Amino acid sequence: YEVERVEVLRGPQGTYFGRNTLGGAISITTRRPEPGRVGGELRYDMDDLDGWLARGALNLGFSDESAFSLAVSRAKQGAWIEN
């Protein structure tokens, strides 16, 4: 929910991410809270095997310069084998 972009960087990336990135790096950038905006969203998905996924995001803009953002998710994976 709160991912703005994902970058896959191939090859050695030691200059930016340290010495243990010989094979490359994956950089995940999250979305910044939006000052002055209050809002959110909820989503609930179900499947045929009793599995579900619930996700929610909340943005609280306290003023034109400060804000708080929260994203949560919870999942239960269904199974087709019963004991």
Side-chain angles (χ1 to χ4, degrees):
Y1 259 9
E2 293 295 312
V3 174
E4 183 176 310
R5 70 178 179 269
V6 176
E7 300 174 63
V8 178
L9 307 168
R10 298 181 354 190
Q13 298 294 324
T15 304
Y16 295 115
F17 298 102
R19 65 182 177 147
N20 293 326
T21 56
L22 294 176
I26 298 175
S27 175
I28 300 172
T29 304
T30 57
R31 206 180 315 166
R32 291 185 173 268
E34 298 178 33
R37 180 177 139 331
V38 175
E41 59 183 292
L42 293 172
R43 184 172 177 170
Y44 185 80
D45 298 317
M46 295 177 63
D47 63 16
D48 294 338
L49 303 172
D50 294 329
W52 51 266
L53 172 63
R55 296 182 286 188
L58 178 66
N59 186 80
L60 297 173
F62 300 115
S63 68
D64 290 339
E65 295 180 4
S66 67
F68 175 78
S69 180
L70 175 71
V72 295
S73 69
R74 176 85 174 155
K76 177 186 178 261
Q77 186 171 355
W80 58 274
I81 297 175
E82 295 182 13
N83 290 336

